[in-house]
Amino acid sequence: MTSQTLREARKYEDASGKLIRKEERPDFHLTPRTGWMNDPNGFSYYKGRYHLFYQYYPYESRWGSMHWGHAVSSDLLHWEYLPCALAPDEAYDRDGCFSGSAVELPDGRQLLMYTGVLKEHEERDIYREVQTQCIAVGDGVDYEKYEQNPVLDQRDIPAGSSRFDFRDPKIWRKVDGTYACVVGNRPADGSGQILLYDSADGFHWKFKNVLVSNQDRFGKMWECPDFFELDGKWVLLTSPQDMRPEGFEYHNGNGTLCLIGDYDEGAGKFVETHNQSIDYGIDFYAAQTVLAPDGRRIMIGWMQNWDACSMRSPDEPWFGQMSLPRELFLKNGRLYQRPIRELDAMRRDKVEYRDVTVSGVVKLNGIKGRKVDMELTVRPGDEEELYQKFAVRFAQNDTCYTSLSFRPRESILKVDRKFSGSRRAIIHQRRSLVKTENGELKLRIILDCFSVEVFVDDGKQVMTATMYTEQEADDISFFANGTANIDIVKYDLR
Ligand code: FRU
């Protein structure tokens, strides 16, 4: 049974989505069918296709009462929109269907677990949002909310923990056929914690343990957790709010955090051995993963920073992009990411240069475009003296460019979109510590109309940023202060 609220959303998105021309969107990064998009939700493989839901407000290009948008794909690059899956239409979620996840039930139905939001009146005009975990079950298009919702509420959280910050369940099916989920929450100390729950059938849930406590180390509230096994270890991904910077590892504001460690499943205990950022650029948040049928652990994130949403005018017909899906693996105790291999099938018109000396500005024939996959190796060009700075500029014309610059003496790689056409006083640059052997650096740069994703040293670090530069700005150029030597392999992506 579809509610009036959901019917209206579906009707609206159908009419309004048609008005957005293909050229107004990126090519292979998912954008909302119309209006606003934030976190990826319910990333799953179901009935032979990948499903991706997203936090969605169809009616305007700004955050509003949350729905779940829905798209499917067989290669994670070409997406087809399906009708809006969830709308805030029940007594327990009428103020929003917040983030969550998906799993397939043994009977072939798909179960969505999400956060229901309900505003509770406190005093005068003060309201607080009570958050509970809810379930909807469906066939890949239509979902019915469970009559016993919510399935987790304030009775299921440890004493002293907040019922106002209790959200973003990530569910998975265990080897023994039972289910577990992790949920972000705030304990009495005001910082974050991740709660672990167990269920025999996916519908009836029991609190198991506090999986990880922030204890005020990384920001405050921890949003959008994900927890999975990878290469013999266990990985917790989360997105902390209100971070303070720590060297070049963590930056101010909303950030990303990856904890790697060991997990005792029986006891529900996780012991951390390593922490790092997930993405070192400007725009990446709320990552969620799917286990692909071939065993790959694939991650996608909201390619946006909450503090920089004014980058794009709310008058535009859509707001928000998903990142490129990335394959995850561990190497030397760190999280590595590489663009999904499906992208290789979109590579066209290879242009290759070897051993190009760069000193000052260099432009090369055939190296331009805004939908590009470019591998770039940079080495010192002068044995006596290490270059001071190397830069690649792209999305460039007479007035605009976005750049990546590397200073080997300081080991700093910087992404800079200050001259991307932005009219807002927000973050436009971010630096990251990138250690190299003798100034030799390997980059893979993926451009898709409104974004750049840089995979450093075979995925050891990734830097992501959006840029809304006009599409005609499609030059690419290289620059060195001192002498650098570069190899380039570049493809257009189609
Ligand atoms: C993260 C987040 C989630 C929440 C959702 C609401 O970006 O704040 O914690 O579920 O967005 O749209």
Side-chain angles (χ1 to χ4, degrees):
M1 256 187 313
T2 31
S3 68
Q4 175 74 7
T5 319
L6 183 59
R7 276 201 304 277
E8 266 169 29
R10 287 180 166 189
K11 198 169 146 206
Y12 182 86
E13 66 176 0
D14 188 40
S16 162
K18 281 187 191 132
L19 303 176
I20 306 176
R21 286 175 297 121
K22 200 173 170 290
E23 309 79 70
E24 291 177 77
R25 299 181 187 270
D27 219 34
F28 51 93
H29 286 75
L30 184 68
T31 49
R33 187 162 178 183
T34 181
W36 167 278
M37 157 196 278
N38 58 290
D39 316 349
N41 294 158
F43 194 18
S44 51
Y45 188 82
Y46 178 63
K47 289 189 180 168
R49 290 192 294 186
Y50 291 98
H51 286 247
L52 185 61
F53 303 81
Y54 51 90
Q55 289 286 281
Y56 183 35
Y57 186 60
Y59 303 107
E60 278 180 280
S61 294
R62 59 179 96 229
W63 193 87
S65 166
M66 279 293 114
H67 297 57
W68 275 34
H70 191 184
V72 287
S73 172
S74 41
D75 66 356
L76 294 160
L77 297 167
H78 299 84
W79 294 95
E80 178 197 324
Y81 292 113
L82 289 185
C84 174
L86 299 178
D89 52 14
E90 290 287 345
Y92 49 83
D93 67 10
R94 63 159 188 255
D95 294 303
C97 298
F98 276 17
S99 284
S101 50
V103 81
E104 185 173 341
L105 294 168
D107 65 8
R109 294 178 302 161
Q110 191 179 39
L111 179 146
L112 308 181
M113 193 171 189
Y114 68 98
T115 299
V117 177
L118 186 60
K119 284 195 182 134
E120 186 182 85
H121 189 220
E122 281 220 318
E123 50 179 313
R124 293 186 305 277
D125 52 355
I126 301 173
Y127 288 83
R128 295 194 76 178
E129 295 182 340
V130 179
Q131 304 185 333
T132 59
Q133 314 320 316
C134 303
I135 277 171
V137 177
D139 61 1
V141 180
D142 296 306
Y143 295 84
E144 191 123 1
K145 290 180 183 169
Y146 181 44
E147 64 280 359
Q148 286 175 48
N149 276 342
V151 296
L152 286 173
D153 64 18
Q154 55 181 308
R155 290 166 297 191
D156 304 296
I157 53 180
S161 299
S162 169
R163 62 195 176 99
F164 307 112
D165 286 300
F166 177 41
R167 58 180 175 273
D168 311 335
K170 172 71 201 262
I171 183 173
W172 71 95
R173 192 144 178 237
K174 298 199 275 190
V175 234
D176 66 3
T178 66
Y179 302 83
C181 79
V182 281
V183 186
N185 180 235
R186 207 192 273 267
D189 75 358
S191 75
Q193 67 184 0
I194 302 299
L195 305 180
L196 177 69
Y197 295 87
D198 267 347
S199 169
D201 59 2
F203 293 87
H204 302 86
W205 290 90
K206 245 188 96 197
F207 174 72
K208 172 97 178 174
N209 201 10
V210 176
L211 184 71
V212 194
S213 293
N214 182 5
Q215 284 162 328
D216 254 327
R217 294 171 300 160
F218 307 103
K220 293 289 183 181
M221 170 66 185
W222 283 2
E223 300 188 305
C224 303
D226 196 344
F227 189 55
F228 50 88
E229 196 176 355
L230 185 68
D231 299 336
K233 289 284 210 175
W234 280 75
V235 175
L236 179 92
L237 306 180
T238 184
S239 295
Q241 296 179 315
D242 306 305
M243 298 268 276
R244 277 203 283 239
E246 237 184 86
F248 291 105
E249 189 61 37
Y250 300 104
H251 58 74
N252 319 57
N254 286 65
T256 56
L257 174 67
C258 167
L259 300 177
I260 301 175
D262 298 299
Y263 180 49
D264 175 346
E265 196 173 50
K269 287 214 168 88
F270 177 67
V271 180
E272 303 167 33
T273 49
H274 168 79
N275 70 76
Q276 66 174 95
S277 270
I278 304 174
D279 193 287
Y280 295 81
I282 305 174
D283 296 300
F284 192 85
Y285 199 67
Q288 193 171 92
T289 68
V290 65
L291 187 62
D294 59 11
R296 285 179 295 166
R297 180 59 67 172
I298 300 174
M299 177 184 76
I300 199 163
W302 183 39
M303 195 160 56
Q304 184 60 49
N305 179 312
W306 276 111
D307 285 330
C309 289
S310 62
M311 262 294 272
R312 190 165 165 87
S313 156
D315 299 334
E316 299 288 346
W318 60 263
F319 180 88
Q321 306 177 60
M322 289 301 163
S323 73
L324 189 68
R326 305 164 182 183
E327 295 176 14
L328 301 183
F329 59 103
L330 300 188
K331 193 173 156 186
N332 303 326
R334 280 187 62 89
L335 181 74
Y336 272 64
Q337 307 168 42
R338 63 164 95 82
I340 42 159
R341 57 195 69 166
E342 284 83 345
L343 191 67
D344 297 355
M346 291 183 69
R347 288 172 154 189
R348 301 279 182 284
D349 305 330
K350 179 174 178 180
V351 180
E352 191 169 355
Y353 287 91
R354 296 266 161 220
D355 231 2
V356 180
T357 301
V358 182
S359 184
V361 177
V362 168
K363 279 196 173 186
L364 296 167
N365 263 340
I367 307 286
K368 58 165 24 199
R370 288 288 286 271
K371 300 172 197 172
V372 164
D373 184 344
M374 182 163 72
E375 289 166 358
L376 185 63
T377 308
V378 187
R379 290 175 297 263
D382 180 342
E383 276 176 25
E384 312 276 282
E385 206 185 348
L386 184 60
Y387 61 96
Q388 294 234 6
K389 175 178 158 179
F390 170 82
V392 47
R393 291 179 170 184
F394 42 87
Q396 183 175 21
N397 62 10
D398 293 344
T399 46
C400 291
Y401 65 84
T402 293
S403 70
L404 267 174
S405 59
F406 182 59
R407 291 178 179 277
R409 300 173 189 201
E410 287 113 76
S411 302
I412 295 291
L413 180 66
K414 181 167 91 176
V415 59
D416 187 344
R417 61 172 178 195
K418 184 172 172 188
F419 299 104
S420 65
S422 161
R423 294 178 191 275
R424 299 271 71 86
I426 53 172
I427 284 284
H428 287 118
Q429 303 165 334
R430 181 142 291 137
R431 288 173 295 170
S432 168
L433 198 64
V434 170
K435 295 248 169 69
T436 59
E437 294 272 325
N438 315 317
E440 178 160 342
L441 179 72
K442 224 173 129 187
L443 304 174
R444 181 164 170 199
I445 302 171
I446 312 285
L447 304 179
D448 183 14
C449 302
F450 304 106
S451 63
V452 55
E453 289 163 280
V454 188
F455 295 81
V456 184
D457 286 331
D458 298 313
K460 189 174 178 193
Q461 279 164 286
V462 187
M463 294 181 90
T464 301
T466 59
M467 50 184 183
Y468 291 98
T469 319
E470 55 183 68
Q471 295 303 304
E472 290 67 37
D474 64 352
D475 283 345
I476 297 176
S477 65
F478 307 91
F479 167 84
N481 189 343
T483 309
N485 188 276
I486 61 175
D487 295 340
I488 303 169
V489 182
K490 178 248 172 192
Y491 303 86
D492 290 327
L493 292 171
R494 272 200 302 275

mmCIF file of all heavy atoms in Angstrom, residues 36 38-39 41 55-56 63-64 66 97-100 115 117 131 167-168 221-224 239 241 254 285-286 302 306, ligand 1:
data_model
loop_
_atom_site.group_PDB
_atom_site.id
_atom_site.type_symbol
_atom_site.label_atom_id
_atom_site.label_comp_id
_atom_site.label_asym_id
_atom_site.label_seq_id
_atom_site.Cartn_x
_atom_site.Cartn_y
_atom_site.Cartn_z
ATOM 1 N N TRP A 36 17.339 17.257 -3.837
ATOM 2 C CA TRP A 36 18.483 17.078 -2.924
ATOM 3 C C TRP A 36 18.838 15.616 -2.670
ATOM 4 O O TRP A 36 17.951 14.775 -2.504
ATOM 5 C CB TRP A 36 18.132 17.725 -1.588
ATOM 6 C CG TRP A 36 19.053 17.366 -0.469
ATOM 7 C CD1 TRP A 36 19.011 16.235 0.299
ATOM 8 C CD2 TRP A 36 20.170 18.136 0.017
ATOM 9 N NE1 TRP A 36 20.033 16.265 1.230
ATOM 10 C CE2 TRP A 36 20.750 17.412 1.089
ATOM 11 C CE3 TRP A 36 20.725 19.377 -0.347
ATOM 12 C CZ2 TRP A 36 21.854 17.887 1.797
ATOM 13 C CZ3 TRP A 36 21.831 19.842 0.364
ATOM 14 C CH2 TRP A 36 22.376 19.101 1.424
ATOM 15 N N ASN A 38 21.645 13.370 -0.021
ATOM 16 C CA ASN A 38 22.855 13.194 0.796
ATOM 17 C C ASN A 38 23.180 11.704 0.917
ATOM 18 O O ASN A 38 23.213 11.036 -0.125
ATOM 19 C CB ASN A 38 22.871 14.007 2.096
ATOM 20 C CG ASN A 38 21.751 13.794 3.086
ATOM 21 O OD1 ASN A 38 20.631 14.173 2.835
ATOM 22 N ND2 ASN A 38 22.051 13.215 4.223
ATOM 23 N N ASP A 39 23.452 11.196 2.086
ATOM 24 C CA ASP A 39 24.059 9.867 2.257
ATOM 25 C C ASP A 39 23.573 8.741 1.334
ATOM 26 O O ASP A 39 22.375 8.603 1.108
ATOM 27 C CB ASP A 39 23.791 9.333 3.668
ATOM 28 C CG ASP A 39 23.995 10.356 4.749
ATOM 29 O OD1 ASP A 39 24.532 11.421 4.464
ATOM 30 O OD2 ASP A 39 23.586 10.071 5.889
ATOM 31 N N ASN A 41 22.383 5.043 0.978
ATOM 32 C CA ASN A 41 21.633 4.142 1.874
ATOM 33 C C ASN A 41 21.383 2.822 1.147
ATOM 34 O O ASN A 41 21.289 2.794 -0.083
ATOM 35 C CB ASN A 41 20.253 4.733 2.214
ATOM 36 C CG ASN A 41 20.313 6.017 3.046
ATOM 37 O OD1 ASN A 41 19.364 6.793 3.045
ATOM 38 N ND2 ASN A 41 21.404 6.269 3.736
ATOM 39 N N GLN A 55 19.538 9.444 0.752
ATOM 40 C CA GLN A 55 18.800 10.466 1.472
ATOM 41 C C GLN A 55 18.348 11.505 0.457
ATOM 42 O O GLN A 55 19.170 12.045 -0.301
ATOM 43 C CB GLN A 55 19.695 11.101 2.545
ATOM 44 C CG GLN A 55 19.974 10.181 3.714
ATOM 45 C CD GLN A 55 18.760 10.037 4.607
ATOM 46 O OE1 GLN A 55 18.468 10.891 5.420
ATOM 47 N NE2 GLN A 55 18.023 8.931 4.460
ATOM 48 N N TYR A 56 17.060 11.821 0.466
ATOM 49 C CA TYR A 56 16.457 12.460 -0.690
ATOM 50 C C TYR A 56 15.352 13.422 -0.281
ATOM 51 O O TYR A 56 14.457 13.051 0.494
ATOM 52 C CB TYR A 56 15.873 11.318 -1.528
ATOM 53 C CG TYR A 56 15.227 11.622 -2.849
ATOM 54 C CD1 TYR A 56 15.686 12.617 -3.692
ATOM 55 C CD2 TYR A 56 14.149 10.838 -3.280
ATOM 56 C CE1 TYR A 56 15.078 12.824 -4.926
ATOM 57 C CE2 TYR A 56 13.546 11.040 -4.502
ATOM 58 C CZ TYR A 56 14.009 12.039 -5.325
ATOM 59 O OH TYR A 56 13.408 12.234 -6.534
ATOM 60 N N TRP A 63 18.262 20.428 1.848
ATOM 61 C CA TRP A 63 17.855 19.361 2.759
ATOM 62 C C TRP A 63 16.436 19.617 3.248
ATOM 63 O O TRP A 63 16.085 20.746 3.580
ATOM 64 C CB TRP A 63 18.840 19.299 3.932
ATOM 65 C CG TRP A 63 18.699 18.050 4.748
ATOM 66 C CD1 TRP A 63 19.307 16.857 4.527
ATOM 67 C CD2 TRP A 63 17.893 17.880 5.926
ATOM 68 N NE1 TRP A 63 18.922 15.951 5.483
ATOM 69 C CE2 TRP A 63 18.056 16.555 6.355
ATOM 70 C CE3 TRP A 63 17.039 18.708 6.645
ATOM 71 C CZ2 TRP A 63 17.411 16.035 7.474
ATOM 72 C CZ3 TRP A 63 16.389 18.200 7.767
ATOM 73 C CH2 TRP A 63 16.582 16.871 8.168
ATOM 74 N N GLY A 64 15.613 18.621 3.290
ATOM 75 C CA GLY A 64 14.247 18.750 3.799
ATOM 76 C C GLY A 64 13.803 17.438 4.397
ATOM 77 O O GLY A 64 14.636 16.581 4.704
ATOM 78 N N MET A 66 13.190 13.926 5.006
ATOM 79 C CA MET A 66 13.937 12.913 4.260
ATOM 80 C C MET A 66 13.091 11.750 3.738
ATOM 81 O O MET A 66 12.351 11.092 4.473
ATOM 82 C CB MET A 66 15.073 12.353 5.123
ATOM 83 C CG MET A 66 16.300 13.247 5.150
ATOM 84 S SD MET A 66 17.128 13.344 3.552
ATOM 85 C CE MET A 66 16.868 15.058 3.145
ATOM 86 N N CYS A 97 12.767 9.852 7.076
ATOM 87 C CA CYS A 97 13.330 8.507 6.990
ATOM 88 C C CYS A 97 14.822 8.699 6.776
ATOM 89 O O CYS A 97 15.274 8.961 5.660
ATOM 90 C CB CYS A 97 12.729 7.736 5.819
ATOM 91 S SG CYS A 97 10.949 7.498 5.976
ATOM 92 N N PHE A 98 15.583 8.632 7.870
ATOM 93 C CA PHE A 98 17.014 8.894 7.810
ATOM 94 C C PHE A 98 17.774 7.641 7.323
ATOM 95 O O PHE A 98 17.181 6.625 7.013
ATOM 96 C CB PHE A 98 17.524 9.343 9.185
ATOM 97 C CG PHE A 98 17.333 10.819 9.455
ATOM 98 C CD1 PHE A 98 16.454 11.592 8.689
ATOM 99 C CD2 PHE A 98 18.038 11.458 10.483
ATOM 100 C CE1 PHE A 98 16.285 12.955 8.940
ATOM 101 C CE2 PHE A 98 17.882 12.811 10.729
ATOM 102 C CZ PHE A 98 17.006 13.564 9.974
ATOM 103 N N SER A 99 19.099 7.759 7.355
ATOM 104 C CA SER A 99 19.959 6.764 6.709
ATOM 105 C C SER A 99 19.811 5.349 7.255
ATOM 106 O O SER A 99 19.467 5.148 8.420
ATOM 107 C CB SER A 99 21.417 7.196 6.820
ATOM 108 O OG SER A 99 21.630 8.227 5.894
ATOM 109 N N GLY A 100 20.140 4.392 6.409
ATOM 110 C CA GLY A 100 20.079 2.993 6.791
ATOM 111 C C GLY A 100 20.619 2.110 5.686
ATOM 112 O O GLY A 100 21.323 2.575 4.784
ATOM 113 N N THR A 115 16.389 4.848 9.939
ATOM 114 C CA THR A 115 16.079 5.595 11.153
ATOM 115 C C THR A 115 14.810 6.415 10.949
ATOM 116 O O THR A 115 14.725 7.216 10.019
ATOM 117 C CB THR A 115 17.254 6.527 11.526
ATOM 118 O OG1 THR A 115 18.404 5.719 11.765
ATOM 119 C CG2 THR A 115 16.934 7.333 12.778
ATOM 120 N N VAL A 117 12.412 9.338 12.253
ATOM 121 C CA VAL A 117 12.594 10.556 13.045
ATOM 122 C C VAL A 117 11.233 11.147 13.390
ATOM 123 O O VAL A 117 10.364 11.271 12.531
ATOM 124 C CB VAL A 117 13.445 11.589 12.276
ATOM 125 C CG1 VAL A 117 13.564 12.878 13.075
ATOM 126 C CG2 VAL A 117 14.815 11.021 11.969
ATOM 127 N N GLN A 131 14.926 9.551 17.639
ATOM 128 C CA GLN A 131 15.319 8.674 16.537
ATOM 129 C C GLN A 131 15.185 7.208 16.942
ATOM 130 O O GLN A 131 15.653 6.808 18.007
ATOM 131 C CB GLN A 131 16.756 8.998 16.106
ATOM 132 C CG GLN A 131 16.893 10.477 15.740
ATOM 133 C CD GLN A 131 18.247 10.868 15.184
ATOM 134 O OE1 GLN A 131 19.253 10.237 15.487
ATOM 135 N NE2 GLN A 131 18.257 11.922 14.371
ATOM 136 N N ARG A 167 21.152 6.683 15.296
ATOM 137 C CA ARG A 167 20.733 6.587 13.886
ATOM 138 C C ARG A 167 21.705 5.814 12.995
ATOM 139 O O ARG A 167 22.803 5.490 13.373
ATOM 140 C CB ARG A 167 20.537 7.993 13.320
ATOM 141 C CG ARG A 167 21.756 8.904 13.398
ATOM 142 C CD ARG A 167 21.414 10.271 12.806
ATOM 143 N NE ARG A 167 22.497 11.232 12.957
ATOM 144 C CZ ARG A 167 22.677 12.016 14.030
ATOM 145 N NH1 ARG A 167 21.851 11.938 15.061
ATOM 146 N NH2 ARG A 167 23.695 12.855 14.086
ATOM 147 N N ASP A 168 21.229 5.597 11.777
ATOM 148 C CA ASP A 168 22.001 5.059 10.655
ATOM 149 C C ASP A 168 22.381 3.586 10.819
ATOM 150 O O ASP A 168 23.566 3.218 10.778
ATOM 151 C CB ASP A 168 23.270 5.911 10.417
ATOM 152 C CG ASP A 168 22.976 7.405 10.366
ATOM 153 O OD1 ASP A 168 21.834 7.760 10.032
ATOM 154 O OD2 ASP A 168 23.874 8.208 10.661
ATOM 155 N N MET A 221 29.589 13.210 17.770
ATOM 156 C CA MET A 221 28.692 12.135 17.328
ATOM 157 C C MET A 221 29.274 11.403 16.121
ATOM 158 O O MET A 221 29.821 12.016 15.210
ATOM 159 C CB MET A 221 27.345 12.766 16.958
ATOM 160 C CG MET A 221 26.374 11.856 16.261
ATOM 161 S SD MET A 221 25.797 10.494 17.317
ATOM 162 C CE MET A 221 24.814 9.576 16.125
ATOM 163 N N TRP A 222 29.180 10.069 16.118
ATOM 164 C CA TRP A 222 29.631 9.260 14.979
ATOM 165 C C TRP A 222 28.421 8.852 14.146
ATOM 166 O O TRP A 222 27.555 8.116 14.621
ATOM 167 C CB TRP A 222 30.363 8.021 15.475
ATOM 168 C CG TRP A 222 31.760 8.288 15.931
ATOM 169 C CD1 TRP A 222 32.399 9.499 15.980
ATOM 170 C CD2 TRP A 222 32.708 7.322 16.404
ATOM 171 N NE1 TRP A 222 33.687 9.346 16.449
ATOM 172 C CE2 TRP A 222 33.898 8.024 16.710
ATOM 173 C CE3 TRP A 222 32.676 5.947 16.588
ATOM 174 C CZ2 TRP A 222 35.040 7.372 17.199
ATOM 175 C CZ3 TRP A 222 33.810 5.299 17.075
ATOM 176 C CH2 TRP A 222 34.976 6.014 17.376
ATOM 177 N N GLU A 223 28.413 9.287 12.897
ATOM 178 C CA GLU A 223 27.292 8.997 12.012
ATOM 179 C C GLU A 223 27.651 7.871 11.035
ATOM 180 O O GLU A 223 28.816 7.621 10.746
ATOM 181 C CB GLU A 223 26.904 10.252 11.217
ATOM 182 C CG GLU A 223 26.478 11.415 12.102
ATOM 183 C CD GLU A 223 25.913 12.572 11.297
ATOM 184 O OE1 GLU A 223 26.586 13.072 10.384
ATOM 185 O OE2 GLU A 223 24.789 12.994 11.597
ATOM 186 N N CYS A 224 26.624 7.264 10.497
ATOM 187 C CA CYS A 224 26.744 6.329 9.377
ATOM 188 C C CYS A 224 27.844 5.279 9.530
ATOM 189 O O CYS A 224 28.768 5.214 8.715
ATOM 190 C CB CYS A 224 26.950 7.103 8.076
ATOM 191 S SG CYS A 224 25.640 8.271 7.755
ATOM 192 N N SER A 239 31.496 8.381 10.179
ATOM 193 C CA SER A 239 31.696 9.786 9.816
ATOM 194 C C SER A 239 31.421 10.658 11.035
ATOM 195 O O SER A 239 30.262 10.882 11.386
ATOM 196 C CB SER A 239 30.757 10.160 8.664
ATOM 197 O OG SER A 239 31.108 9.438 7.508
ATOM 198 N N GLN A 241 31.076 13.904 13.446
ATOM 199 C CA GLN A 241 30.765 15.327 13.351
ATOM 200 C C GLN A 241 31.728 16.095 14.248
ATOM 201 O O GLN A 241 32.310 15.535 15.165
ATOM 202 C CB GLN A 241 29.347 15.593 13.873
ATOM 203 C CG GLN A 241 28.254 14.949 13.059
ATOM 204 C CD GLN A 241 26.872 15.233 13.648
ATOM 205 O OE1 GLN A 241 26.669 15.127 14.850
ATOM 206 N NE2 GLN A 241 25.924 15.577 12.802
ATOM 207 N N ASN A 254 32.901 18.001 9.762
ATOM 208 C CA ASN A 254 32.501 16.621 9.513
ATOM 209 C C ASN A 254 33.635 15.912 8.788
ATOM 210 O O ASN A 254 34.125 16.416 7.781
ATOM 211 C CB ASN A 254 31.260 16.566 8.625
ATOM 212 C CG ASN A 254 30.001 16.963 9.364
ATOM 213 O OD1 ASN A 254 29.860 18.113 9.786
ATOM 214 N ND2 ASN A 254 29.098 16.032 9.548
ATOM 215 N N TYR A 285 31.806 11.795 2.546
ATOM 216 C CA TYR A 285 31.140 11.624 3.837
ATOM 217 C C TYR A 285 30.203 10.423 3.775
ATOM 218 O O TYR A 285 29.750 10.025 2.704
ATOM 219 C CB TYR A 285 30.338 12.890 4.186
ATOM 220 C CG TYR A 285 29.994 12.995 5.653
ATOM 221 C CD1 TYR A 285 30.983 13.192 6.601
ATOM 222 C CD2 TYR A 285 28.674 12.888 6.085
ATOM 223 C CE1 TYR A 285 30.667 13.280 7.960
ATOM 224 C CE2 TYR A 285 28.353 12.974 7.433
ATOM 225 C CZ TYR A 285 29.355 13.175 8.362
ATOM 226 O OH TYR A 285 29.052 13.258 9.700
ATOM 227 N N ALA A 286 29.902 9.888 4.948
ATOM 228 C CA ALA A 286 28.837 8.881 5.108
ATOM 229 C C ALA A 286 29.024 7.658 4.210
ATOM 230 O O ALA A 286 28.082 7.181 3.583
ATOM 231 C CB ALA A 286 27.463 9.516 4.831
ATOM 232 N N TRP A 302 28.950 9.866 0.035
ATOM 233 C CA TRP A 302 28.325 11.114 -0.422
ATOM 234 C C TRP A 302 29.466 12.052 -0.785
ATOM 235 O O TRP A 302 30.311 12.353 0.066
ATOM 236 C CB TRP A 302 27.468 11.706 0.701
ATOM 237 C CG TRP A 302 26.732 12.947 0.331
ATOM 238 C CD1 TRP A 302 26.130 13.219 -0.850
ATOM 239 C CD2 TRP A 302 26.504 14.089 1.186
ATOM 240 N NE1 TRP A 302 25.529 14.458 -0.788
ATOM 241 C CE2 TRP A 302 25.741 15.012 0.434
ATOM 242 C CE3 TRP A 302 26.856 14.413 2.496
ATOM 243 C CZ2 TRP A 302 25.330 16.242 0.961
ATOM 244 C CZ3 TRP A 302 26.459 15.626 3.016
ATOM 245 C CH2 TRP A 302 25.707 16.530 2.269
ATOM 246 N N TRP A 306 29.298 18.660 4.417
ATOM 247 C CA TRP A 306 28.142 19.419 4.937
ATOM 248 C C TRP A 306 28.430 20.915 5.013
ATOM 249 O O TRP A 306 27.549 21.729 4.756
ATOM 250 C CB TRP A 306 27.753 18.904 6.338
ATOM 251 C CG TRP A 306 26.852 17.711 6.311
ATOM 252 C CD1 TRP A 306 27.166 16.441 6.692
ATOM 253 C CD2 TRP A 306 25.479 17.661 5.885
ATOM 254 N NE1 TRP A 306 26.077 15.610 6.522
ATOM 255 C CE2 TRP A 306 25.035 16.335 6.030
ATOM 256 C CE3 TRP A 306 24.577 18.608 5.378
ATOM 257 C CZ2 TRP A 306 23.736 15.920 5.706
ATOM 258 C CZ3 TRP A 306 23.292 18.203 5.053
ATOM 259 C CH2 TRP A 306 22.875 16.876 5.221
HETATM 260 C C1 FRU B 1 24.706 12.133 7.784
HETATM 261 C C2 FRU B 1 23.318 12.300 8.336
HETATM 262 C C3 FRU B 1 22.869 11.004 8.999
HETATM 263 C C4 FRU B 1 21.373 11.098 8.919
HETATM 264 C C5 FRU B 1 21.164 11.789 7.606
HETATM 265 C C6 FRU B 1 19.976 12.690 7.542
HETATM 266 O O1 FRU B 1 25.008 12.910 6.688
HETATM 267 O O2 FRU B 1 23.279 13.371 9.252
HETATM 268 O O3 FRU B 1 23.377 10.815 10.287
HETATM 269 O O4 FRU B 1 20.775 9.848 8.973
HETATM 270 O O5 FRU B 1 22.339 12.531 7.336
HETATM 271 O O6 FRU B 1 19.726 13.118 6.237
#
